[in-house]
């Protein structure tokens, strides 16, 4: 069975980096709470998702933006400037969609 093509409006790398940068103040405010909880707050992940950050490396055939690693790293850095743990979490979770693109479509 052929995968269903998902159409997505693709923002520019500059737009995505700016979206991540706009999150810095709220990420900085959450740093202490996230440290105390020993985990990233669900709302932090939800906000990353809402602004499309997890689609950066995701293949276009699965609705992603299929961008380069430099853009991914710039987003990760922008998030980490607000909260290092949030940047790290994005780095780990954001690679999952890239990895899925490597797997045969039948899976």
């Amino acid at each position: 069975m052929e995968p269903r093509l998902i159409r997505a409006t693709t923002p520019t790398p500059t737009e995505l980096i700016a979206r991540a940068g706009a999150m810095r103040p709220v990420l900085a405010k959450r740093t202490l709470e996230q440290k105390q909880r020993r985990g990233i707050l669900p709302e932090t992940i939800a906000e990353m998702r809402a602004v499309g950050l997890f689609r950066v490396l995701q293949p276009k055939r699965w609705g992603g933006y299929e961008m380069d690693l430099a853009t991914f790293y710039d987003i990760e850095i922008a998030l980490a400037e607000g909260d290092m743990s949030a940047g790290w979490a994005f780095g780990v979770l954001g690679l999952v969609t890239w990895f899925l693109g490597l797997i045969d479509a039948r899976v």
Side-chain angles (χ1 to χ4, degrees):
M1 182 171 159
E2 230 10 71
R4 192 176 123 223
L5 182 63
I6 300 169
R7 305 246 183 239
T9 304
T10 304
T12 66
T14 303
E15 288 172 316
L16 288 169
I17 295 163
R19 291 176 189 178
M23 293 177 67
R24 284 184 199 128
V26 73
L27 292 175
K29 287 179 184 176
R30 292 180 184 155
T31 296
L32 182 58
E33 184 178 357
Q34 291 185 147
K35 184 176 181 178
Q36 289 170 340
R37 288 184 177 211
R38 301 180 73 127
I40 302 300
L41 297 172
E43 53 265 41
T44 298
I45 299 299
E47 289 163 3
M48 289 181 197
R49 183 184 217 176
V51 298
L53 300 185
F54 291 121
R55 292 183 173 201
V56 173
L57 297 179
Q58 184 175 331
K60 287 183 180 180
R61 72 178 188 265
W62 299 112
Y65 307 142
E66 203 169 309
M67 294 183 175
D68 59 282
L69 283 172
T71 300
F72 180 79
Y73 296 144
D74 287 342
I75 291 168
E76 187 174 17
I77 290 166
L79 294 170
E81 287 172 348
D83 178 70
M84 289 296 291
S85 295
W88 178 84
F90 169 77
V92 172
L93 296 172
L95 286 176
V96 171
T97 57
W98 170 77
F99 180 73
L100 291 175
L102 301 175
I103 298 173
D104 189 290
R106 294 175 291 175
V107 175

XYZ file of all heavy atoms in Angstrom:
840
model
N 0.831 -1.168 0.000
C 0.000 0.000 0.000
C 0.885 1.243 0.000
O 1.802 1.361 0.797
C -0.902 -0.028 1.235
C -1.852 1.095 1.335
S -2.988 0.700 2.701
C -3.579 2.285 3.061
N 0.609 2.159 -0.878
C 1.368 3.399 -1.010
C 0.989 4.373 0.106
O -0.182 4.472 0.465
C 0.969 4.025 -2.336
C 1.983 4.499 -3.337
C 3.432 4.180 -3.174
O 3.828 3.020 -3.347
O 4.187 5.109 -2.903
N 1.968 5.064 0.688
C 1.638 6.026 1.748
C 0.803 7.177 1.182
O 0.965 7.556 0.031
C 2.994 6.521 2.224
C 3.938 6.226 1.120
C 3.388 5.031 0.391
N -0.090 7.683 2.000
C -0.931 8.799 1.596
C -0.107 10.080 1.639
O 0.566 10.361 2.625
C -2.110 8.922 2.552
C -3.177 9.848 2.041
C -4.359 9.832 2.993
N -4.537 11.217 3.386
C -4.782 11.637 4.600
N -4.902 10.791 5.568
N -4.925 12.903 4.862
N -0.148 10.835 0.556
C 0.586 12.089 0.495
C -0.137 13.142 1.313
O -1.329 13.364 1.153
C 0.710 12.556 -0.963
C 1.495 13.830 -1.201
C 2.946 13.625 -0.773
C 1.441 14.216 -2.658
N 0.594 13.755 2.218
C 0.040 14.802 3.064
C 0.629 16.127 2.592
O 1.838 16.271 2.473
C 0.401 14.566 4.548
C -0.161 13.231 5.004
C -0.115 15.708 5.420
C 0.344 12.785 6.352
N -0.203 17.075 2.306
C 0.247 18.392 1.847
C 0.373 19.339 3.044
O -0.520 19.420 3.863
C -0.734 18.974 0.840
C -0.976 18.058 -0.328
C -0.456 18.664 -1.587
N -0.785 17.775 -2.693
C 0.125 17.243 -3.472
N 1.383 17.480 -3.275
N -0.220 16.479 -4.470
N 1.477 20.029 3.108
C 1.689 20.981 4.195
C 2.256 22.278 3.628
O 3.039 22.249 2.692
C 2.663 20.404 5.220
N 1.849 23.375 4.185
C 2.448 24.647 3.826
C 3.808 24.697 4.507
O 3.909 24.481 5.718
C 1.576 25.816 4.316
O 0.272 25.652 3.763
C 2.150 27.139 3.898
N 4.821 24.967 3.735
C 6.169 24.927 4.280
C 6.674 26.332 4.611
O 6.851 27.150 3.717
C 7.132 24.259 3.281
O 6.628 22.968 2.952
C 8.524 24.129 3.865
N 6.916 26.590 5.887
C 7.522 27.874 6.259
C 8.992 27.872 5.841
O 9.572 26.815 5.578
C 7.376 27.914 7.774
C 7.241 26.499 8.185
C 6.651 25.749 7.033
N 9.587 29.019 5.807
C 11.010 29.096 5.489
C 11.821 28.729 6.730
O 11.317 28.821 7.858
C 11.401 30.526 5.056
O 11.249 31.410 6.178
C 10.571 31.009 3.881
N 13.076 28.346 6.535
C 13.931 28.090 7.697
C 14.003 29.296 8.631
O 13.947 29.145 9.853
C 15.293 27.782 7.075
C 14.950 27.185 5.743
C 13.746 27.969 5.272
N 14.083 30.478 8.067
C 14.150 31.699 8.874
C 12.908 31.849 9.749
O 13.005 32.223 10.927
C 14.316 32.932 7.967
O 15.489 32.749 7.160
C 14.444 34.211 8.769
N 11.739 31.535 9.198
C 10.497 31.618 9.973
C 10.505 30.632 11.138
O 10.105 30.977 12.252
C 9.281 31.332 9.082
C 8.961 32.429 8.097
C 7.881 32.024 7.111
O 7.927 30.891 6.580
O 6.989 32.850 6.872
N 10.953 29.408 10.885
C 10.979 28.401 11.942
C 11.971 28.755 13.043
O 11.692 28.580 14.229
C 11.299 27.029 11.357
C 10.174 26.414 10.539
C 10.666 25.200 9.773
C 9.003 26.048 11.427
N 13.113 29.273 12.654
C 14.110 29.693 13.649
C 13.554 30.843 14.480
O 13.726 30.890 15.700
C 15.441 30.061 12.962
C 16.041 28.802 12.298
C 16.425 30.688 13.954
C 17.121 29.093 11.266
N 12.835 31.753 13.825
C 12.214 32.874 14.547
C 11.133 32.372 15.502
O 11.002 32.888 16.623
C 11.623 33.875 13.556
N 10.361 31.372 15.096
C 9.343 30.794 15.983
C 9.993 30.212 17.227
O 9.500 30.378 18.342
C 8.548 29.707 15.259
C 7.648 30.234 14.167
C 6.989 29.087 13.440
N 6.287 29.538 12.248
C 5.653 28.729 11.406
N 5.621 27.416 11.633
N 5.053 29.218 10.346
N 11.094 29.506 17.022
C 11.821 28.927 18.170
C 12.372 30.043 19.051
O 12.283 29.979 20.280
C 12.944 28.027 17.676
N 12.920 31.071 18.439
C 13.464 32.192 19.196
C 12.402 32.910 20.006
O 12.666 33.374 21.118
N 11.198 32.985 19.460
C 10.098 33.648 20.170
C 9.699 32.888 21.427
O 9.081 33.458 22.331
C 8.899 33.797 19.237
N 10.076 31.623 21.508
C 9.752 30.809 22.680
C 10.731 31.027 23.840
O 10.477 30.595 24.957
C 9.739 29.321 22.298
C 8.618 28.940 21.350
S 8.692 27.197 20.874
C 8.333 26.403 22.441
N 11.851 31.694 23.590
C 12.894 31.851 24.616
C 12.386 32.379 25.951
O 12.707 31.790 26.990
C 14.013 32.759 24.096
C 14.923 32.106 23.132
C 16.044 33.063 22.746
N 16.665 32.618 21.518
C 16.847 33.369 20.448
N 16.486 34.634 20.448
N 17.416 32.863 19.378
N 11.633 33.473 25.968
C 11.216 34.009 27.280
C 10.400 33.020 28.112
O 10.642 32.858 29.310
C 10.383 35.246 26.919
C 10.845 35.637 25.551
C 11.208 34.348 24.869
N 9.455 32.345 27.488
C 8.621 31.394 28.238
C 9.445 30.169 28.646
O 9.253 29.637 29.746
C 7.339 31.022 27.467
C 7.618 30.106 26.292
C 6.320 30.389 28.390
N 10.364 29.760 27.807
C 11.228 28.628 28.164
C 12.101 28.990 29.364
O 12.274 28.181 30.272
C 12.097 28.212 26.979
C 11.363 27.591 25.796
C 12.329 27.340 24.650
C 10.651 26.318 26.194
N 12.627 30.207 29.366
C 13.465 30.651 30.482
C 12.670 30.675 31.789
O 13.188 30.293 32.841
C 14.046 32.027 30.178
N 11.412 31.066 31.706
C 10.565 31.097 32.904
C 10.267 29.690 33.423
O 10.025 29.506 34.608
C 9.256 31.816 32.612
C 9.412 33.304 32.471
C 8.090 33.973 32.162
C 8.280 35.456 31.924
N 7.034 36.121 31.539
N 10.273 28.712 32.539
C 9.953 27.330 32.929
C 11.177 26.534 33.387
O 11.021 25.408 33.859
C 9.311 26.597 31.757
C 7.948 27.102 31.406
C 7.395 26.328 30.242
N 6.117 26.880 29.846
C 5.612 26.775 28.635
N 6.257 26.086 27.701
N 4.454 27.302 28.350
N 12.340 27.084 33.236
C 13.564 26.328 33.521
C 13.561 25.708 34.911
O 13.820 24.511 35.063
C 14.806 27.223 33.334
O 14.884 27.603 31.966
C 16.080 26.502 33.710
N 13.284 26.489 35.922
C 13.321 25.990 37.297
C 12.290 24.885 37.513
O 12.604 23.833 38.088
C 13.114 27.125 38.296
C 13.179 26.720 39.776
C 14.523 26.081 40.103
C 12.932 27.931 40.658
N 11.059 25.103 37.041
C 10.018 24.089 37.222
C 10.381 22.794 36.502
O 10.200 21.701 37.045
C 8.663 24.607 36.727
C 7.544 23.619 36.998
C 6.180 24.117 36.567
O 6.053 25.253 36.092
O 5.229 23.327 36.712
N 10.909 22.918 35.296
C 11.297 21.714 34.554
C 12.439 20.988 35.259
O 12.459 19.757 35.321
C 11.664 22.066 33.106
C 10.456 22.498 32.320
C 10.690 22.750 30.851
O 9.809 22.501 30.078
N 11.838 23.230 30.445
N 13.357 21.747 35.819
C 14.466 21.143 36.565
C 13.939 20.407 37.796
O 14.345 19.286 38.081
C 15.474 22.217 36.961
C 16.692 21.673 37.643
C 17.696 22.768 37.937
C 18.919 22.184 38.608
N 19.938 23.197 38.872
N 13.011 21.048 38.516
C 12.447 20.424 39.712
C 11.653 19.166 39.361
O 11.675 18.191 40.108
C 11.554 21.429 40.451
C 12.343 22.537 41.110
C 11.469 23.665 41.630
O 10.331 23.835 41.219
N 12.029 24.458 42.528
N 10.949 19.184 38.265
C 10.162 18.018 37.833
C 11.014 16.953 37.144
O 10.531 15.866 36.868
C 9.062 18.452 36.865
C 7.948 19.212 37.516
C 6.894 19.491 36.488
N 5.767 20.167 37.065
C 4.538 20.034 36.626
N 4.271 19.242 35.613
N 3.558 20.692 37.193
N 12.230 17.346 36.804
C 13.148 16.449 36.100
C 12.570 15.985 34.772
O 12.672 14.827 34.385
C 13.532 15.276 36.990
C 14.193 15.731 38.277
C 14.547 14.576 39.121
N 15.685 13.914 38.510
C 16.799 13.624 39.128
N 16.929 13.929 40.381
N 17.775 13.023 38.519
N 11.950 16.936 34.080
C 11.374 16.627 32.773
C 10.820 17.876 32.109
O 10.570 18.887 32.760
N 10.663 17.779 30.813
C 10.097 18.878 30.032
C 8.590 18.912 30.262
O 7.925 17.875 30.233
C 10.405 18.683 28.523
C 11.911 18.586 28.288
C 9.793 19.800 27.686
C 12.699 19.795 28.707
N 8.056 20.093 30.482
C 6.620 20.243 30.710
C 5.843 19.916 29.427
O 6.299 20.253 28.329
C 6.298 21.661 31.167
C 6.908 22.072 32.503
C 6.679 23.553 32.762
C 6.327 21.244 33.624
N 4.703 19.284 29.568
C 3.897 18.946 28.389
C 3.559 20.163 27.524
O 3.522 20.066 26.300
C 2.629 18.324 28.969
C 3.010 17.865 30.336
C 4.088 18.794 30.804
N 3.351 21.313 28.162
C 3.016 22.499 27.385
C 4.197 22.967 26.534
O 4.009 23.535 25.457
C 2.480 23.633 28.256
C 3.342 24.012 29.428
C 2.952 23.346 30.736
O 2.620 22.146 30.762
O 2.994 24.048 31.766
N 5.412 22.704 26.960
C 6.587 23.058 26.162
C 6.606 22.228 24.882
O 6.791 22.756 23.792
C 7.876 22.840 26.981
O 7.845 23.702 28.127
C 9.108 23.138 26.157
N 6.392 20.928 25.021
C 6.350 20.051 23.848
C 5.182 20.440 22.952
O 5.324 20.509 21.721
C 6.244 18.566 24.275
C 7.468 18.154 25.106
C 6.070 17.660 23.060
C 8.799 18.273 24.395
N 4.031 20.723 23.547
C 2.846 21.108 22.768
C 3.109 22.385 21.969
O 2.679 22.493 20.808
C 1.649 21.290 23.694
N 3.803 23.333 22.563
C 4.106 24.586 21.861
C 5.087 24.357 20.713
O 4.944 24.946 19.642
C 4.626 25.627 22.843
C 3.540 26.140 23.767
C 4.067 26.842 25.006
O 5.296 27.008 25.150
O 3.232 27.219 25.850
N 6.092 23.511 20.920
C 7.023 23.182 19.833
C 6.260 22.555 18.669
O 6.506 22.868 17.502
C 8.097 22.211 20.328
C 9.107 22.795 21.258
S 10.285 21.492 21.704
C 11.038 22.206 23.140
N 5.363 21.671 19.023
C 4.560 20.987 18.010
C 3.639 21.974 17.282
O 3.518 21.941 16.067
C 3.740 19.895 18.681
C 2.927 19.089 17.742
C 2.096 18.108 18.521
N 2.020 16.872 17.802
C 1.432 15.803 18.252
N 0.906 15.813 19.468
N 1.373 14.725 17.529
N 2.991 22.858 18.042
C 2.033 23.805 17.468
C 2.670 24.735 16.442
O 2.011 25.117 15.470
C 1.373 24.622 18.580
N 3.925 25.097 16.650
C 4.580 25.998 15.697
C 5.348 25.244 14.607
O 6.055 25.844 13.811
C 5.486 27.039 16.405
C 4.666 27.930 17.308
C 6.624 26.382 17.152
N 5.190 23.920 14.583
C 5.727 23.117 13.487
C 7.178 22.704 13.586
O 7.757 22.253 12.599
N 7.770 22.821 14.760
C 9.197 22.527 14.868
C 9.533 21.058 14.625
O 10.605 20.749 14.109
C 9.735 22.981 16.223
C 9.598 24.477 16.529
C 10.279 24.803 17.859
C 10.154 25.331 15.402
N 8.640 20.161 14.997
C 8.947 18.739 14.831
C 8.830 18.273 13.382
O 9.150 17.131 13.070
C 8.066 17.887 15.744
C 8.392 18.060 17.201
C 7.439 18.494 18.092
C 9.671 17.812 17.681
C 7.735 18.668 19.440
C 9.990 17.986 19.020
C 9.023 18.410 19.899
N 8.391 19.141 12.491
C 8.283 18.783 11.068
C 9.530 19.140 10.272
O 9.602 18.861 9.093
C 7.089 19.488 10.448
C 5.775 18.997 10.957
C 4.658 19.693 10.251
N 3.405 19.085 10.629
C 2.310 19.191 9.913
N 2.317 19.879 8.801
N 1.205 18.610 10.312
N 10.504 19.746 10.913
C 11.682 20.244 10.204
C 12.378 19.151 9.386
O 12.654 19.337 8.210
C 12.676 20.901 11.188
C 13.969 21.263 10.486
C 12.053 22.128 11.794
N 12.659 18.033 9.982
C 13.348 16.939 9.278
C 12.395 15.882 8.729
O 12.823 14.992 8.002
C 14.362 16.273 10.216
C 15.496 17.166 10.709
C 16.400 16.380 11.651
C 16.292 17.741 9.551
N 11.142 15.986 9.060
C 10.143 15.017 8.606
C 10.023 15.056 7.077
O 9.967 16.128 6.488
C 8.796 15.372 9.242
C 7.681 14.414 8.960
C 6.432 14.807 9.749
O 6.527 15.395 10.825
N 5.285 14.503 9.213
N 9.989 13.906 6.423
C 9.871 13.873 4.964
C 8.575 14.539 4.472
O 7.545 14.470 5.137
C 9.849 12.372 4.642
C 10.475 11.711 5.819
C 10.114 12.564 7.000
N 8.667 15.161 3.311
C 7.494 15.826 2.736
C 6.357 14.836 2.496
O 5.195 15.186 2.646
C 7.872 16.538 1.445
C 8.677 17.779 1.692
C 8.995 18.518 0.406
C 9.812 19.758 0.759
N 10.150 20.534 -0.428
N 6.692 13.606 2.143
C 5.632 12.625 1.859
C 4.805 12.291 3.098
O 3.723 11.732 3.000
C 6.220 11.358 1.248
C 7.010 10.488 2.189
C 7.495 9.218 1.461
N 8.090 8.295 2.368
C 9.395 8.215 2.613
N 10.243 9.017 2.000
N 9.861 7.327 3.464
N 5.324 12.643 4.266
C 4.600 12.432 5.521
C 4.147 13.755 6.136
O 3.868 13.831 7.329
C 5.466 11.672 6.523
C 5.877 10.322 6.045
C 7.126 9.910 5.713
C 5.021 9.195 5.816
N 7.117 8.610 5.297
C 5.825 8.135 5.342
C 3.652 8.969 5.945
C 5.325 6.893 5.019
C 3.151 7.720 5.619
C 3.982 6.703 5.166
N 4.102 14.814 5.330
C 3.600 16.101 5.800
C 4.636 17.009 6.433
O 4.287 18.018 7.027
N 5.899 16.660 6.300
C 6.957 17.465 6.909
C 7.537 18.496 5.963
O 7.078 18.675 4.842
N 8.573 19.165 6.445
C 9.219 20.228 5.679
C 10.492 19.755 4.982
O 10.993 20.436 4.105
C 9.552 21.409 6.594
C 8.378 21.921 7.390
C 8.538 22.338 8.703
C 7.095 21.984 6.854
C 7.474 22.808 9.454
C 6.025 22.452 7.596
C 6.221 22.864 8.892
O 5.160 23.323 9.631
N 11.028 18.622 5.423
C 12.220 18.004 4.834
C 13.350 19.018 4.626
O 13.876 19.189 3.541
C 11.847 17.355 3.501
C 12.781 16.258 3.072
C 12.249 15.472 1.899
O 11.094 15.018 1.932
O 13.030 15.295 0.943
N 13.715 19.687 5.711
C 14.770 20.700 5.653
C 16.124 20.107 6.003
O 16.232 18.952 6.378
C 14.428 21.857 6.586
C 13.209 22.623 6.142
S 12.883 24.028 7.209
C 11.526 24.764 6.322
N 17.131 20.933 5.903
C 18.496 20.489 6.152
C 18.825 20.481 7.646
O 18.128 21.097 8.450
C 19.477 21.400 5.407
C 19.332 22.841 5.846
O 18.381 23.522 5.401
O 20.168 23.287 6.648
N 19.900 19.801 7.976
C 20.313 19.698 9.376
C 20.729 21.041 9.964
O 20.545 21.273 11.159
C 21.451 18.694 9.526
C 21.042 17.224 9.472
C 22.267 16.332 9.435
C 20.164 16.868 10.655
N 21.265 21.931 9.149
C 21.679 23.241 9.656
C 20.476 23.988 10.242
O 20.583 24.604 11.314
C 22.336 24.063 8.554
N 19.330 23.910 9.578
C 18.119 24.550 10.090
C 17.698 23.900 11.401
O 17.357 24.584 12.367
C 16.977 24.461 9.054
O 17.395 25.119 7.862
C 15.700 25.089 9.574
N 17.738 22.575 11.428
C 17.398 21.833 12.642
C 18.282 22.280 13.802
O 17.804 22.559 14.902
C 17.559 20.332 12.369
C 17.250 19.453 13.531
C 15.935 19.164 13.869
C 18.264 18.893 14.288
C 15.642 18.332 14.953
C 17.984 18.063 15.358
C 16.669 17.782 15.682
N 19.587 22.382 13.550
C 20.519 22.782 14.607
C 20.282 24.222 15.051
O 20.380 24.528 16.242
C 21.968 22.618 14.150
C 22.359 21.193 13.871
C 23.235 20.894 12.832
C 21.863 20.138 14.619
C 23.607 19.579 12.569
C 22.228 18.822 14.360
C 23.101 18.552 13.328
O 23.462 17.261 13.067
N 19.975 25.110 14.099
C 19.705 26.506 14.463
C 18.471 26.619 15.350
O 18.433 27.436 16.277
C 19.547 27.368 13.212
C 20.867 27.630 12.496
O 21.933 27.442 13.120
O 20.830 28.028 11.318
N 17.461 25.810 15.078
C 16.260 25.786 15.919
C 16.612 25.255 17.308
O 16.198 25.814 18.326
C 15.151 24.942 15.264
C 14.631 25.662 14.018
C 14.018 24.640 16.245
C 13.749 24.808 13.129
N 17.382 24.195 17.330
C 17.802 23.613 18.604
C 18.571 24.634 19.450
O 18.330 24.774 20.653
C 18.665 22.375 18.338
C 19.031 21.598 19.557
C 19.768 20.303 19.213
O 20.274 20.150 18.087
O 19.834 19.445 20.104
N 19.450 25.376 18.830
C 20.225 26.397 19.526
C 19.310 27.498 20.045
O 19.442 27.946 21.193
C 21.327 26.970 18.604
C 22.410 25.914 18.371
C 21.920 28.254 19.181
C 23.363 26.237 17.230
N 18.363 27.943 19.208
C 17.438 29.008 19.624
C 16.633 28.582 20.848
O 16.443 29.369 21.779
C 16.509 29.378 18.471
N 16.175 27.342 20.858
C 15.432 26.837 22.017
C 16.335 26.732 23.244
O 15.938 27.110 24.349
C 14.818 25.465 21.698
C 13.730 25.439 20.636
C 13.399 24.002 20.257
C 12.482 26.179 21.100
N 17.536 26.247 23.041
C 18.474 26.074 24.158
C 18.873 27.408 24.783
O 19.196 27.461 25.968
C 19.712 25.327 23.681
N 18.820 28.477 24.011
C 19.117 29.798 24.576
C 18.056 30.198 25.595
O 18.314 31.004 26.471
C 19.228 30.837 23.461
C 20.505 30.677 22.655
C 20.574 31.559 21.423
O 19.545 32.154 21.018
O 21.673 31.655 20.848
N 16.854 29.633 25.483
C 15.809 29.858 26.478
C 15.908 28.857 27.614
O 15.795 29.207 28.782
N 16.142 27.590 27.265
C 16.261 26.519 28.256
C 17.035 25.370 27.619
O 16.601 24.805 26.608
C 14.872 26.044 28.699
C 14.953 24.899 29.694
O 15.378 25.133 30.828
O 14.590 23.765 29.312
N 18.164 25.037 28.201
C 19.022 23.988 27.631
C 18.304 22.647 27.507
O 18.465 21.937 26.524
C 20.292 23.817 28.478
C 21.255 24.977 28.364
S 21.925 25.200 26.708
C 22.946 23.749 26.564
N 17.509 22.301 28.496
C 16.803 21.018 28.459
C 15.781 20.978 27.334
O 15.595 19.936 26.687
C 16.108 20.754 29.793
O 17.067 20.609 30.808
N 15.120 22.091 27.076
C 14.154 22.150 25.982
C 14.874 21.974 24.643
O 14.383 21.270 23.753
C 13.392 23.463 26.012
N 16.035 22.594 24.509
C 16.824 22.420 23.288
C 17.246 20.976 23.106
O 17.166 20.425 22.000
N 17.681 20.349 24.191
C 18.103 18.951 24.127
C 16.917 18.050 23.756
O 17.044 17.169 22.910
C 18.690 18.522 25.467
C 19.103 17.088 25.495
C 20.287 16.572 25.058
C 18.319 15.984 25.952
N 20.293 15.204 25.231
C 19.088 14.814 25.778
C 17.045 15.872 26.493
C 18.625 13.557 26.119
C 16.588 14.606 26.838
C 17.376 13.474 26.652
N 15.767 18.289 24.393
C 14.580 17.473 24.116
C 14.167 17.601 22.653
O 13.832 16.614 21.998
C 13.429 17.873 25.033
N 14.191 18.821 22.129
C 13.874 19.011 20.719
C 14.859 18.228 19.850
O 14.466 17.593 18.870
C 13.906 20.493 20.340
C 13.849 20.701 18.857
C 12.649 20.571 18.170
C 14.988 21.001 18.135
C 12.589 20.734 16.791
C 14.942 21.167 16.764
C 13.740 21.037 16.093
N 16.135 18.280 20.204
C 17.148 17.575 19.425
C 16.903 16.079 19.359
O 17.068 15.458 18.315
N 16.483 15.514 20.461
C 16.216 14.066 20.505
C 14.902 13.731 19.792
O 14.850 12.855 18.932
C 16.185 13.561 21.963
C 15.728 12.125 22.035
C 17.555 13.721 22.605
N 13.837 14.449 20.152
C 12.523 14.145 19.581
C 12.426 14.519 18.105
O 11.747 13.844 17.337
C 11.428 14.868 20.375
C 11.279 14.438 21.823
C 10.311 15.365 22.549
C 10.829 12.994 21.909
N 13.100 15.579 17.726
C 13.046 16.017 16.337
C 13.683 15.057 15.361
O 13.335 15.027 14.175
N 14.610 14.254 15.841
C 15.259 13.270 14.973
C 14.367 12.070 14.674
O 14.588 11.356 13.702
C 16.570 12.792 15.586
C 17.712 13.787 15.514
C 18.934 13.234 16.235
C 18.060 14.126 14.081
N 13.359 11.849 15.492
C 12.475 10.701 15.295
C 11.788 10.771 13.929
O 11.717 9.786 13.210
C 11.432 10.595 16.437
C 10.386 9.544 16.136
C 12.130 10.303 17.745
N 11.307 11.955 13.554
C 10.616 12.069 12.271
C 11.572 11.870 11.108
O 11.192 11.342 10.073
C 9.911 13.436 12.135
O 10.863 14.485 12.282
C 8.813 13.590 13.172
N 12.817 12.286 11.259
C 13.826 12.043 10.224
C 14.068 10.538 10.083
O 14.096 10.001 8.989
C 15.126 12.759 10.585
C 16.274 12.378 9.720
C 16.525 12.800 8.440
C 17.335 11.476 10.051
N 17.671 12.213 7.976
C 18.193 11.403 8.947
C 17.633 10.733 11.194
C 19.331 10.612 8.940
C 18.755 9.951 11.189
C 19.595 9.891 10.071
N 14.205 9.877 11.218
C 14.447 8.439 11.215
C 13.298 7.679 10.565
O 13.510 6.738 9.801
C 14.686 7.928 12.635
C 14.933 6.460 12.700
C 16.126 5.925 12.260
C 13.944 5.600 13.157
C 16.343 4.547 12.293
C 14.145 4.227 13.195
C 15.361 3.709 12.758
N 12.060 8.096 10.845
C 10.912 7.427 10.239
C 10.941 7.505 8.725
O 10.456 6.603 8.040
C 9.598 8.017 10.780
C 9.312 7.706 12.232
C 8.059 8.450 12.694
C 9.177 6.219 12.478
N 11.518 8.571 8.206
C 11.643 8.704 6.758
C 12.607 7.713 6.147
O 12.561 7.466 4.938
N 13.453 7.109 6.950
C 14.401 6.116 6.460
C 13.814 4.715 6.377
O 14.349 3.838 5.717
C 15.643 6.078 7.359
C 16.428 7.389 7.485
C 17.555 7.203 8.497
C 16.970 7.828 6.151
N 12.700 4.528 7.080
C 12.084 3.214 7.155
C 11.205 2.980 5.923
O 10.557 3.886 5.426
C 11.240 3.097 8.445
C 12.139 3.254 9.666
C 10.484 1.775 8.495
C 11.398 3.315 10.973
N 11.203 1.766 5.445
C 10.383 1.407 4.282
C 8.925 1.774 4.520
O 8.391 1.580 5.609
C 10.506 -0.115 4.052
C 9.866 -0.539 2.754
O 8.623 -0.504 2.655
O 10.616 -0.888 1.825
N 8.275 2.328 3.506
C 6.882 2.791 3.615
C 5.916 1.684 4.024
O 4.873 1.950 4.597
C 6.435 3.413 2.302
N 6.251 0.430 3.764
C 5.372 -0.676 4.134
C 5.262 -0.826 5.646
O 4.302 -1.401 6.136
C 5.884 -1.987 3.528
C 5.807 -1.987 1.998
C 6.429 -3.222 1.445
N 7.877 -3.137 1.692
C 8.739 -4.091 1.418
N 8.330 -5.213 0.894
N 10.012 -3.928 1.646
N 6.249 -0.324 6.375
C 6.228 -0.422 7.832
C 5.191 0.533 8.364
O 4.475 0.299 9.253
C 7.616 -0.089 8.420
C 7.581 -0.066 9.931
C 8.634 -1.074 7.931
